[in-house]
């Protein structure tokens, strides 16, 4: 199986060349186009999910599609928003993803719902993170460009800008400034990330886009 | 007339340089900036209207909608016009040499004044996107057609068969045959709802696809906005 | 515009400036440009509320009303909030700022002149810069359509963003720009807002226009204009069918 992330960072999409025996799992709406020799089959992700958890994700249904072929074939996978994608290789380690960031993975990667704690509920993100572990490649994406910061102590992040993070980091909700700026400063609750580890961040947020759009609507 | 595409690949605009007397037809709202010696005429066509007005070759409208066009003509030499589409994405120029190109309605940005524009083409049926009917424009003649996309534009030279989610079609040569159907066709996909309509192209011809799907983006952002 | 030269903002994934007051970098250019400001202890940066994306420890955030606008609470002015967030570094730190729409960002060093900014374009400025409203007087004050302007003056750094890419145009021979695409311009230019030629007044076309489309700015004189390559009006028209519908009472 050959894969290539094209058109980074503005409209990243994955072009996959499949051969007989290959298998790729992708988020349910990710297929843009494909050769007629490729088969697409819907399935529940991870076996951990029931309808309640699926609804909690809001943006992302945890049904996924599995792509395979008997000969050779091409699939183009995309995401709903403009933005970047990253591919990381898991080797027994785990990464935590924001809902909506998952694009695709190889069949050795296991997906489950990670408990993100009550704190994240106030950030409107829901109670769950997507936990990816196992072995193989994982593709995730975001609205905006994706950049990283290696946290050594603490980093305050406007919640809509957090894409993924290593489980060595702990997430807490907080306010960016004092109470007055909480009401008027436009930031609301922010995520404070503590510990040592890498965070993947996005340079735009859907909340920011919605706020900008709403400011023009009457 | 010379066309140059700037600010690629995600916020592309077309800069058109015209000499006196040259003209181009564009979707309304596309004008960003222009020199001062350019004449603009706006025309609207409604279904059933027999035409009249300045634009050549605009056939009847589709489903009662009005299709607004701007016709720009330079009244001096060395005039520039910059146009762009509504959504982020790219622009490509497709040269027509007598054949026809079927263009997804919101991907048609502009075409040379000698190109015939038929907005009643319904070959793909009334494909619905969130309750909104898509419309298709058939461009025939000689000259350039400027296509815009939501996302990156990629070309597929179809030689056999190729399947595209209908929200990802930008344009295709009318030498291609096609059938529209549901995607994987399993009970799960029907349960999940969503359009999931795909178009299977066959034969020989060029197909322009976009990497991103406007309805999927709209369905994600829409619920976060003020009610209407 | 025949003599006018076009300079697309220099590409390259990031940019800084040797003559900036603040140490900054604009990266993820040109489609999702984000501003990183590295503050030394005691330094301040002023930003549009809601723009902060990340902040290292030791930055004090205060929200306050901009000077000179009286006591009107919460009224949106020029598309920007009457409030401004002041970030003061208590230790060396980094703050990043991201606007709402996808697009590019420009750093402009003010040195005594004035820069006019369209609604929604302001991101941040350094100490030494003052932002005020430009009351149009006889030209009328358009809210929600046409030109809604802020004026930036003083000596320091100004950062403004666009929806889409930014074309920097040196006007020499006149320029007509649809109002929705004007981001900023030097006030050495004269400008006039009018209805675009060819549109028949009172026709049905007016109802098709959303938020000022059909209005254009005629620039004259010499100076720079920054034009964006996308406009919020068409974007709003496109997204409206996806918005929730008010339930009828």
């Amino acid at each position: 199986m050959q894969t290539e992330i094209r058109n980074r960072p503005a409209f990243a999409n994955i072009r996959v060349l499949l051969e007989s025996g290959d298998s790729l799992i992708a988020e349910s709406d990710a297929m843009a186009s494909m050769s007629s020799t490729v088969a697409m089959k819907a399935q529940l992700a991870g076996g951990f999910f029931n309808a309640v958890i699926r609804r909690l994700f809001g943006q992302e249904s945890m049904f996924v599609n599995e792509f395979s072929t008997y000969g050779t074939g091409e699939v183009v996978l995309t995401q709903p928003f403009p933005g970047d994608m990253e591919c990381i290789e898991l080797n027994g380690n785990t990464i935590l993803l924001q809902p909506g960031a998952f694009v695709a993975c190889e069949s050795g990667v296991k997906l489950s719902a990670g408990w993100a704690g009550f704190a994240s509920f106030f950030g409107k993100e829901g109670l769950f993170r997507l936990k990816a572990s196992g072995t193989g490649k994982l593709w995730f994406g975001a609205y905006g460009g994706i950049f990283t910061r290696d946290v050594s102590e603490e980093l305050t992040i406007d919640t809509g800008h957090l894409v993924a993070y290593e489980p060595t980091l702990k997430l807490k909700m907080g306010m960016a400034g004092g109470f007055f700026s909480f009401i008027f400063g436009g930031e609301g609750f922010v995520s404070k990330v503590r510990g040592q580890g890498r965070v993947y961040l996005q340079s735009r947020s859907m909340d920011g886009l919605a706020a900008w759009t709403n400011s023009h609507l009457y | 007339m010379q066309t140059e595409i700037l600010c690629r690949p995600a916020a592309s605009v077309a800069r058109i340089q015209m000499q006196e007397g040259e003209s181009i037809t564009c979707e309304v709202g596309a004008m960003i900036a222009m020199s001062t010696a350019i004449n603009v005429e706006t025309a609207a066509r409604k279904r059933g209207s027999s035409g009249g007005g300045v634009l050549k070759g605009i056939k009847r409208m589709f489903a009662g909608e009005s299709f607004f066009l701007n016709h720009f003509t330079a009244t001096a030499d060395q005039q520039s016009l910059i146009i762009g589409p509504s959504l982020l994405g790219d622009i490509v120029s497709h040269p027509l040499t007598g054949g026809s190109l079927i263009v997804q309605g919101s991907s048609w940005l502009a075409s040379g004044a000698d190109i015939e524009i038929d907005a009643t083409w319904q070959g793909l049926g009334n494909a619905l996107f969130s309750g909104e009917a898509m419309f298709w424009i058939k461009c025939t003649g000689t000259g350039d057609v400027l296509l815009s996309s939501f996302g990156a534009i990629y070309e597929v030279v179809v030689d056999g068969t190729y399947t595209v989610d209908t929200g990802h079609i930008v344009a295709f040569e009318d030498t291609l045959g096609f059938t529209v159907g549901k995607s994987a066709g399993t009970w799960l996909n029907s349960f999940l709802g969503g359009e999931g309509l795909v178009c299977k192209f066959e034969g020989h011809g060029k197909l322009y696809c976009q990497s991103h799907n406007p309805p999927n983006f709209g369905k994600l952002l829409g619920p976060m906005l003020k009610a209407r | 515009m025949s003599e006018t030269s076009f300079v697309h903002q220099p590409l390259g994934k990031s940019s800084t400036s040797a003559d900036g007051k603040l140490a900054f970098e604009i990266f993820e250019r040109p489609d999702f440009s984000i501003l990183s400001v590295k503050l030394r202890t005691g330094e301040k940066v002023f930003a549009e509320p809601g723009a902060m994306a990340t902040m290292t420890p030791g930055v004090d955030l205060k929200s306050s009303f901009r000077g000179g606008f009286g006591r009107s609470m919460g009224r949106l002015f020029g598309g920007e909030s009457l409030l401004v967030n002041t970030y003061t570094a208590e230790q060396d730190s980094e703050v990043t700022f991201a606007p709402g729409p996808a697009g590019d960002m420009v750093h402009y060093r003010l040195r005594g002149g004035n820069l006019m900014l369209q609604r929604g374009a302001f991101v941040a400025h350094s100490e030494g810069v003052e932002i005020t409203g430009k009351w149009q007087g006889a030209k009328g004050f358009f809210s929600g359509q046409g030109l809604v302007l802020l004026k930036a003056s003083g000596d320091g750094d100004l950062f403004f963003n666009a929806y889409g890419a930014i074309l920097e145009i040196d006007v020499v021979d006149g320029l007509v720009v649809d109002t929705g695409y004007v981001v900023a311009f030097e006030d050495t230019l004269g400008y006039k807002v009018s209805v675009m030629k060819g549109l028949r007044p009172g026709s049905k076309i007016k109802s098709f226009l959303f938020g000022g489309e059909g209005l254009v700015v005629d620039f004259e004189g010499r100076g720079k204009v920054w034009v964006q390559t996308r406009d919020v009006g068409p974007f709003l028209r496109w997204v409206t069918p996806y918005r929730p519908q008010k339930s009828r009472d």
Side-chain angles (χ1 to χ4, degrees):
Chain A
M1 180 165 71
Q2 286 172 48
T3 59
E4 183 202 349
I5 303 178
R6 310 187 295 187
N7 307 114
R8 300 184 67 174
F11 283 105
N13 57 95
I14 312 170
R15 181 170 180 253
V16 187
L17 286 169
L18 289 168
E19 286 182 346
S20 171
D22 290 333
S23 151
L24 186 69
I25 314 287
E27 199 273 322
S28 57
D29 275 328
M31 192 279 282
S33 64
M34 62 185 198
S35 319
S36 310
T37 49
V38 174
M40 184 171 91
K41 200 175 75 164
Q43 54 170 277
L44 279 167
F48 178 79
F49 294 97
N50 55 37
V52 173
I53 293 178
R54 178 166 67 85
R55 207 175 300 130
L56 281 172
F57 270 93
Q59 290 172 326
E60 192 171 277
S61 66
M62 276 322 293
F63 289 92
V64 294
N65 284 321
E66 186 184 1
F67 294 90
S68 56
T69 181
Y70 281 116
T72 58
E74 171 196 277
V75 186
V76 176
L77 298 172
T78 186
Q79 54 188 358
F81 31 72
D84 208 354
M85 281 184 190
E86 277 286 342
C87 177
I88 61 175
E89 183 110 32
L90 291 173
N91 201 355
N93 50 326
T94 297
I95 190 152
L96 298 167
L97 294 180
Q98 284 285 40
F102 172 71
V103 180
C105 63
E106 292 184 306
S107 49
V109 175
K110 298 295 158 238
L111 301 171
S112 59
W115 174 253
F118 285 109
S120 76
F121 179 71
F122 298 102
K124 298 193 301 186
E125 291 301 313
L127 296 163
F128 292 92
R129 293 273 179 268
L130 186 62
K131 198 158 108 174
S133 47
T135 312
K137 291 195 169 128
L138 167 72
W139 289 265
F140 57 90
Y143 171 52
I146 297 177
F147 62 103
T148 57
R149 284 289 184 266
D150 287 314
V151 180
S152 54
E153 205 189 295
E154 183 186 288
L155 185 66
T156 299
I157 305 170
D158 176 302
T159 314
H161 288 271
L162 178 60
V163 182
Y165 59 100
E166 294 181 327
T168 48
L169 292 165
K170 296 290 160 253
L171 224 63
K172 231 171 92 98
M173 245 353 78
M175 297 197 292
F179 186 68
F180 184 83
S181 71
F182 174 76
I183 302 292
F184 295 104
E187 297 303 335
F189 284 112
V190 291
S191 293
K192 294 197 184 219
V193 164
R194 288 201 178 118
Q196 306 241 339
R198 173 165 285 193
V199 285
Y200 292 85
L201 301 162
Q202 56 191 76
S203 66
R204 288 291 180 276
S205 74
M206 288 298 289
D207 282 333
L209 176 64
W212 172 75
T213 310
N214 277 331
S215 74
H216 288 90
L217 294 170
Y218 303 99
Chain B
M1 189 158 77
Q2 286 177 312
T3 305
E4 192 191 347
I5 301 174
L6 307 170
C7 306
R8 303 191 73 176
S12 305
V13 292
R15 180 187 178 196
I16 298 143
Q17 261 188 306
M18 298 187 279
Q19 308 306 320
E20 186 178 350
E22 288 185 318
S23 60
I24 186 166
T25 308
C26 309
E27 95 170 312
V28 139
M31 193 285 282
I32 295 175
M34 62 182 190
S35 312
T36 47
I38 294 185
N39 201 38
V40 186
E41 281 169 287
T42 306
R45 293 285 183 271
K46 275 187 141 146
R47 187 189 201 185
S49 131
S50 57
V54 294
L55 295 166
K56 292 194 273 249
I58 308 294
K59 292 203 182 146
R60 287 164 293 124
M61 290 306 104
F62 170 70
E65 298 281 316
S66 292
F67 184 30
F68 293 89
L69 299 160
N70 275 342
H71 197 65
F72 294 85
T73 308
T75 56
D77 280 346
Q78 303 283 78
Q79 299 299 294
S80 278
L81 167 68
I82 302 182
I83 56 172
S86 310
L87 295 178
L88 291 175
D90 207 356
I91 298 176
V92 294
S93 176
H94 176 90
L96 271 179
T97 50
S100 290
L101 190 73
I102 312 292
V103 183
Q104 201 258 101
S106 52
S107 288
W108 179 82
L109 179 63
S111 46
D114 291 331
I115 290 182
E116 195 178 278
I117 302 174
D118 175 5
T120 61
W121 189 89
Q122 287 191 51
L124 249 66
N126 288 347
L128 290 175
F129 274 173
S130 302
E132 300 263 309
M134 285 176 78
F135 77 106
W136 301 85
I137 297 172
K138 182 169 168 177
C139 298
T140 311
T142 305
D144 290 335
V145 181
L146 287 177
L147 304 169
S148 67
S149 63
F150 177 53
I153 296 182
Y154 58 103
E155 278 173 34
V156 177
V157 177
V158 181
D159 188 25
T161 57
Y162 194 77
T163 302
V164 187
D165 178 298
T166 46
H168 289 268
I169 302 173
V170 172
F172 56 95
E173 290 183 316
D174 79 336
T175 50
L176 287 168
F178 49 85
T179 39
V180 180
K182 285 224 151 241
S183 46
T186 65
W187 69 269
L188 268 176
N189 276 327
S190 318
F191 170 67
L192 291 171
E195 281 84 22
L197 282 176
V198 296
C199 184
K200 186 161 152 182
F201 288 95
E202 51 207 357
H204 303 277
K206 198 180 257 194
L207 165 65
Y208 291 96
C209 300
Q210 54 192 11
S211 63
H212 284 64
N213 187 329
N216 284 355
F217 185 46
K219 282 187 277 189
L220 197 62
L221 179 62
M224 300 170 77
L225 303 177
K226 286 183 191 165
R228 58 184 164 118
Chain C
M1 198 160 75
S2 47
E3 312 285 339
T4 301
S5 70
F6 281 83
V7 178
H8 182 202
Q9 274 294 301
L11 266 185
K13 284 200 63 186
S14 72
S15 58
T16 60
S17 173
D19 72 348
K21 251 188 179 176
L22 292 169
F24 71 90
E25 186 191 356
I26 301 173
F27 61 103
E28 299 300 330
R29 299 193 63 201
D31 303 307
F32 302 107
S33 301
I34 181 170
L35 170 67
S36 157
V37 179
K38 286 206 161 61
L39 294 169
R40 289 165 290 231
T41 307
E43 255 193 322
K44 292 182 205 285
V45 64
F46 304 86
E48 177 65 8
M52 188 272 285
T54 68
M55 200 163 77
T56 55
V59 179
D60 175 71
L61 160 62
K62 288 238 169 6
S63 301
S64 55
F65 293 104
R66 297 182 194 280
F69 288 125
R71 310 288 161 258
S72 314
M73 286 254 295
R75 181 169 59 85
L76 281 177
F77 169 76
E80 318 291 348
S81 174
L82 281 177
L83 293 146
V84 65
N85 279 353
T86 305
Y87 296 82
T88 309
E90 289 160 350
Q91 63 191 63
D92 287 356
S93 45
E94 182 204 28
V95 190
T96 64
F97 298 101
D104 207 355
M105 204 188 290
V106 169
H107 163 253
Y108 186 83
R109 180 63 204 264
L110 282 158
R111 286 182 201 282
N114 297 324
L115 194 77
M116 309 302 293
L117 273 185
Q118 250 269 57
R119 100 176 245 171
F122 170 68
V123 179
H125 66 82
S126 66
E127 295 170 272
V129 173
E130 196 189 34
I131 308 276
T132 51
K134 166 83 170 149
W135 298 97
Q136 307 238 9
K139 291 176 191 170
F141 183 69
F142 302 100
S143 57
Q145 61 181 31
L147 280 188
V148 179
L149 297 171
L150 294 176
K151 181 166 78 173
S153 43
D155 182 2
D157 301 305
L158 173 71
F159 302 92
F160 57 89
N161 75 282
Y163 172 36
I166 296 179
L167 290 169
E168 187 182 297
I169 304 178
D170 282 303
V171 180
V172 166
D173 204 22
L175 179 70
V176 178
V177 187
D178 180 299
T179 54
Y181 295 90
V182 172
V183 180
F185 57 93
E186 293 175 328
D187 81 339
T188 50
L189 289 164
Y191 65 100
K192 189 180 66 152
V193 179
S194 58
V195 176
M196 187 167 92
K197 302 184 281 189
L199 294 182
R200 293 159 282 149
S203 76
K204 280 188 199 136
I205 295 188
K206 280 263 181 76
S207 63
F208 178 72
L209 300 174
F210 202 112
E213 250 190 75
L215 290 173
V216 293
V217 185
D218 277 281
F219 286 104
E220 55 181 21
R222 283 175 184 243
K224 281 201 208 305
V225 180
W226 285 265
V227 170
Q228 60 188 7
T229 63
R230 292 294 181 271
D231 174 17
V232 72
F235 179 73
L236 293 175
R237 243 201 330 278
W238 167 78
V239 86
T240 285
Y242 299 98
R243 287 163 59 191
Q245 298 207 344
K246 287 195 181 110
S247 49
R248 284 171 18 200
D249 301 303

